[in-house]
Amino acid sequence: MPIDRAARSTTVAVRLGAVVLSGALLAACGGSSDGAATDGAGGKVTITVDLFGSFGYKEAGLYAEYEKLHPGVTIKQTDTEDEADYWKSLQTRLAGGGGLADVQGIEVGRIASVTQQQADKFEDLKKYGADGLKGQFAEAKWAAATGKNGEVLGLGTDVGPEAMCYRKDLFAKAGLPTDREELAKRWSTWDGYLALGKQYKAKAPGKSAWLDSIGSLYSIMIGQEEERYYDASGKLIWEDNPALRAAWDHSVQAAEGGLSAELDQWSPQWNQAFAAGSFATIPCPAWMLGYIKGQAGESGKGKWDIAALPGGAGNWGGSYLAVPKAAQHKKEAYELIKWLTAPEQQTRLFEKQGNFPSSTGAIEKVAAATDPYFSNAPIGKIFGDAAKAAPVQVLGVHDQNIAQQITNALSEVERKGTAPGKAWENARKGVANTLG
Amino acid sequence: MTLTAPATPPPAPAPPHPLPTPRREPTVRRAWRKASPYAYIAPFFTLFAAFGVFPLIYTAYVSLYRVELQTPGDMEWRGLGNYTALLGDEFFWTALRNTFTIGVLSTVPQLVMALGLAHLLNYRMRGRTFLRTAILLPYATSVAAATLVFAQLFGRDFGLINYVLGVVGIAPVDWQTGTVASQIAVSTVVVWRWTGYNALIYLAGMQSIPDELYEAAAMDGASRWRQFLHVTLPGLRPTIVFTVVVSTIGATQLFGEPLLLEGSISGGISHQYQTLGLYMYEQGWGFFHLGRAAAIAWVMFLLIVVLVGVNALIARRRSRKEAGR
């Protein structure tokens, strides 16, 4: 069974290098056509965009429109589903300095790493006049992407105001109320949510569970907190943070009560479970709406609904678009991200895909939006209220990695029946190992 | 060989004396004649030096420092610190243990099955060539494609294997979370991919065993099974040693299958199937600790050297015993 170097590099290439390779190929192709562009002949430019998860630009038709507005510009997008994989490959390419796209997406949990550790690897967008855009964006969103020396390292795409998505049809079968207002009242606290879950479990239709995974439960609860893993001075506080501990305890309760479908977020099984109706509720930040539509498909239309989140407003995720120093077409890339993050486009993206705008102008515009897929839920109002009330979070360099270790430990409780105390200890060891 | 013809001088004219004193070759030509073999193998060794030896040495150098991928310029001297840290690193030992158990779980059935298959394919039968080629097909598929298919088969909720188990009345197995179950799942992919490959190697070895031995054995009334035990196996000993060595190296470096089973670089939620290769990858490209990853890489390298050495010793001892008999 010689897994020799060739075989190994194949795998690495698949997971991490496929993007690099395609990036390099694109760069190579782009190189030749650029020659023409700088000669002033064809004026053709291919802008490469490398993203993760579902930004939804292609789906919302924004690329097509941009190409129409700018003849000669072609946009090529590559996409990695799992953000952790995406980040890994981005870091490798940043270190090597090759294979980078013109536009790279950055998750908000990583933006501190960019501003604090890698400010020299990304373009300061002030060079291209980004200063003038400041007034468009929510203040916290803008501040998080600003480096030590005031450089602007990315433009905010969306934010992740939180709500609870649920399957109305499953609720009805289990004899629970289906009205979103009433549900919001019944689960005004997390304890209320868990109590309702127990009620659901008693009469659950099919083999469906109350919740997709306690990993997503933990993530959405931690999104309601201002301080999570670090305090404002940059000190690591997660172990002694009572808010984090409360989120942990509620997640453990959900696991021990058997309320979870025991899925792993972003895994193929999780994806399949949307269409199969394996769970009745899923904590959903605004950007999750597009993902649900994608996975549950047409047949899910009208079965879903959205209610306000238990325990108050929160924010989970939201991203930035940045231009690496090694990009081929920096100026064109800036023009593109400026357009994509402008209020009009953010509004359209929200209406089509549900990604909630980070632009202050757009937030007002979408206040009345509803979504037919989610039983005409007033998504503009639900997510708008959440966005206004969401705390401004303290971001740290290793937020994402620490969260991953804690989620892993919670999954142990959920799927292996590990004692919570032991799992907490495992999380501590995992975090120590991560930080090295 | 005719390939070297341009380098050798044309045949000399018939010598005037029966025992001529050889004419002195021109020095340049003679020098070339001596150097040419080196020149021909030079490309390989140049590439090997550039892509084999240099990375090895550079890895050793990096393993003595604290280096992070995000700030590769800041190297902080740690001496052997990265190595000593591994001794107290629970995750490292878990990975080492997993590498061993998955290695045994995959290598042993794989080689035994390969031997059996090769023995069968060695018989005269219809479509032999087709079958011999077909058996190599799993090896020709990429690890990624194979593992992704197997990951679906082993799925907990919608996987085919659990469905079949359900038909027989066995409760669904969580192939990704259970320690033993997940290691069996990983090993299955490995066995599936490499059995045919090893079978072909054994087959080649079997072809070099003289037919007379089988004929003689048959005349003595030995059954097929006895022939296998007393003719095939001893004849295959060098081949078996080779496959064991190669498989051991492969098992120590196992990486793609566990990585892709769940797409988790930590080898599952509690590292239940994280191999050394995967742990190195997690340290280097998950947490960006390049120095620590380099130390793990070197430990793996040394481990392979030791394992191969032990293998060679055992093989040599056995053959000496045989010779002494």
Side-chain angles (χ1 to χ4, degrees):
Chain A
M1 183 204 47
I3 311 296
D4 54 16
R5 189 162 298 173
R8 212 163 78 191
S9 58
T10 316
T11 341
V12 177
V14 168
R15 288 289 287 194
L16 158 162
V19 193
V20 182
L21 196 69
S22 57
L25 287 176
L26 287 175
C29 303
S32 57
S33 55
D34 282 345
T38 40
D39 292 339
K44 282 215 178 302
V45 176
T46 301
I47 305 176
T48 52
V49 181
D50 188 22
L51 305 174
F52 54 87
S54 48
F55 276 66
Y57 292 132
K58 204 191 273 172
E59 292 81 351
L62 292 180
Y63 291 150
E65 186 178 336
Y66 191 80
E67 286 171 351
K68 211 187 276 168
L69 289 172
H70 300 79
V73 169
T74 314
I75 300 168
K76 287 236 161 86
Q77 182 196 297
T78 43
D79 203 339
T80 311
E81 191 158 295
D82 187 339
E83 196 274 340
D85 286 340
Y86 166 83
W87 180 247
K88 217 160 46 200
S89 112
L90 175 62
Q91 289 305 313
T92 314
R93 284 178 286 152
L94 281 174
L100 288 156
D102 297 321
V103 175
Q104 297 280 170
I106 310 279
E107 219 272 340
V108 63
R110 310 285 191 186
I111 196 73
S113 172
V114 169
T115 55
Q116 291 175 31
Q117 294 181 314
Q118 298 186 309
D120 56 332
K121 300 223 164 113
F122 289 92
E123 285 287 297
D124 179 2
L125 300 176
K126 280 205 303 207
K127 258 203 286 195
Y128 305 96
D131 257 347
L133 305 175
K134 191 173 176 183
Q136 276 181 26
F137 291 90
E139 210 177 302
K141 190 79 184 168
W142 185 266
T146 306
K148 271 174 274 184
N149 308 317
E151 60 272 56
V152 176
L153 298 165
L155 296 183
T157 56
D158 59 330
V159 288
E162 300 174 334
M164 185 63 76
C165 293
Y166 63 99
R167 285 280 299 263
K168 227 169 41 171
D169 56 330
L170 294 180
F171 269 49
K173 279 185 203 156
L176 294 188
T178 57
D179 178 61
R180 57 183 86 91
E181 302 287 335
E182 195 185 337
L183 281 171
K185 255 179 239 146
R186 294 278 292 269
W187 63 39
S188 64
T189 64
W190 283 110
D191 290 322
Y193 171 80
L194 294 180
L196 217 51
K198 283 195 187 112
Q199 222 176 307
Y200 179 87
K201 196 185 173 218
K203 282 200 254 166
K207 280 186 198 159
S208 68
W210 173 240
L211 165 78
D212 67 319
S213 75
I214 62 171
S216 56
L217 188 61
Y218 167 80
S219 299
I220 204 114
M221 281 193 271
I222 205 73
Q224 296 172 320
E225 303 306 325
E226 193 175 320
E227 283 188 342
R228 298 171 299 174
Y229 309 106
Y230 295 84
D231 69 9
S233 69
K235 207 177 103 211
L236 210 56
I237 54 156
W238 73 274
E239 272 182 71
D240 305 313
N241 183 354
L244 191 146
R245 202 54 201 245
W248 167 280
D249 288 339
H250 276 106
S251 305
V252 165
Q253 272 178 40
E256 292 184 333
L259 300 183
S260 156
E262 304 185 0
L263 295 156
D264 207 12
Q265 276 203 298
W266 314 111
S267 71
Q269 298 183 37
W270 188 65
N271 290 343
Q272 287 165 336
F274 280 96
S278 306
F279 49 80
T281 67
I282 178 169
C284 59
W287 46 260
M288 188 77 90
L289 301 191
Y291 199 84
I292 294 175
K293 286 178 196 169
Q295 297 299 336
E298 265 309 299
S299 62
K301 192 172 178 180
K303 289 184 186 159
W304 290 86
D305 206 331
I306 307 172
L309 189 72
N315 183 73
W316 173 5
S319 302
Y320 291 87
L321 294 177
V323 181
K325 279 247 160 74
Q328 297 253 327
H329 314 284
K330 297 186 191 118
K331 194 162 178 331
E332 291 85 349
Y334 172 74
E335 290 302 325
L336 173 65
I337 65 174
K338 181 176 144 196
W339 187 82
L340 286 174
T341 56
E344 301 77 42
Q345 277 63 250
Q346 289 203 9
T347 309
R348 283 179 46 198
L349 194 63
F350 176 69
E351 282 159 359
K352 289 247 164 91
Q353 291 299 113
N355 297 19
F356 199 80
S358 62
S359 138
T360 38
I363 294 176
E364 278 151 38
K365 275 191 201 150
V366 303
T370 58
D371 191 328
Y373 192 94
F374 291 88
S375 311
N376 289 318
I379 53 173
K381 181 170 184 333
I382 293 175
F383 288 116
D385 288 350
K388 278 177 218 151
V392 175
Q393 286 158 341
V394 178
L395 303 174
V397 175
H398 294 291
D399 277 2
Q400 212 74 323
N401 280 336
I402 301 174
Q404 181 64 50
Q405 296 302 320
I406 297 177
T407 319
N408 270 354
L410 281 172
S411 297
E412 288 190 288
V413 178
E414 179 185 33
R415 285 156 65 184
K416 296 185 108 170
T418 307
K422 172 115 201 320
W424 178 262
E425 194 48 39
N426 289 350
R428 269 176 29 128
K429 282 184 202 155
V431 171
N433 193 30
T434 300
L435 302 181
Chain B
M1 224 168 93
T2 48
L3 271 177
T4 56
T8 51
H17 305 292
L19 282 172
T21 47
R23 254 199 313 170
R24 279 188 71 84
E25 265 181 290
T27 19
V28 177
R29 193 173 283 180
R30 201 175 46 161
W32 169 242
R33 194 161 55 94
K34 283 205 167 151
S36 59
Y38 295 101
Y40 289 132
I41 56 166
F44 170 78
F45 280 97
T46 316
L47 288 176
F48 177 66
F51 296 104
V53 178
F54 172 71
L56 197 68
I57 293 170
Y58 188 71
T59 306
Y61 167 75
V62 169
S63 73
L64 302 176
Y65 288 87
R66 185 190 163 89
V67 199
E68 301 290 300
L69 181 70
Q70 282 148 326
T71 50
D74 308 339
M75 294 178 77
E76 185 192 318
W77 173 254
R78 283 201 74 185
L80 291 176
N82 283 327
Y83 292 92
T84 48
L86 283 183
L87 291 178
D89 181 351
E90 195 182 309
F91 299 106
F92 170 77
W93 291 108
T94 309
L96 189 65
R97 198 174 56 236
N98 290 344
T99 307
F100 179 75
T101 50
I102 295 178
V104 170
L105 272 176
S106 56
T107 309
V108 173
Q110 176 197 142
L111 294 184
V112 170
M113 278 163 61
L115 254 182
L117 271 173
H119 184 63
L120 293 177
L121 284 173
N122 202 20
Y123 286 127
R124 276 178 220 296
M125 55 180 163
R126 247 181 250 276
R128 195 166 62 162
T129 319
F130 168 76
L131 291 172
R132 284 179 182 179
T133 317
I135 203 176
L136 199 63
L137 275 182
Y139 172 64
T141 53
S142 83
V143 196
T147 312
L148 290 177
V149 171
F150 273 91
Q152 296 283 325
L153 294 179
F154 279 114
R156 187 195 61 190
D157 296 333
F158 308 102
L160 186 68
I161 293 175
N162 272 348
Y163 172 77
V164 172
L165 288 180
V167 170
V168 189
I170 299 172
V173 177
D174 192 347
W175 292 104
Q176 282 155 345
T177 307
T179 307
V180 180
S182 63
Q183 296 198 1
I184 290 177
V186 171
S187 303
T188 309
V189 190
V190 180
V191 169
W192 181 79
R193 274 197 79 224
W194 293 96
T195 301
Y197 171 87
N198 285 305
L200 272 203
I201 292 182
Y202 288 145
L203 190 58
M206 285 175 187
Q207 315 249 295
S208 67
I209 301 174
D211 276 346
E212 294 84 52
L213 288 180
Y214 288 101
E215 281 163 22
M219 294 242 272
D220 289 344
S223 65
R224 288 247 152 114
W225 172 240
R226 291 234 152 241
Q227 289 177 23
F228 176 74
L229 279 186
H230 296 290
V231 182
T232 311
L233 275 189
L236 272 185
R237 177 156 301 139
T239 319
I240 294 176
V241 170
F242 169 77
T243 53
V244 167
V245 169
V246 170
S247 302
T248 311
I249 296 177
T252 317
Q253 297 185 337
L254 195 64
F255 174 75
E257 289 86 348
L259 173 65
L260 292 171
L261 182 70
E262 222 178 347
S264 146
I265 53 168
S266 48
I269 46 176
S270 40
H271 304 256
Q272 68 269 26
Y273 56 90
Q274 185 172 46
T275 58
L276 279 179
L278 203 49
Y279 188 51
M280 174 183 81
Y281 183 68
E282 186 186 35
Q283 285 293 335
W285 283 269
F287 305 153
F288 310 135
H289 305 320
L290 294 186
R292 281 170 75 179
I296 300 170
W298 253 84
V299 169
M300 279 172 70
F301 174 69
L302 294 177
L303 198 69
I304 290 173
V305 169
V306 168
L307 284 175
V308 170
V310 168
N311 258 318
L313 267 184
I314 294 173
R316 190 189 288 173
R317 259 186 131 178
R318 288 220 54 162
S319 52
R320 215 177 265 160
K321 244 195 203 157
E322 297 279 309
R325 254 209 314 237

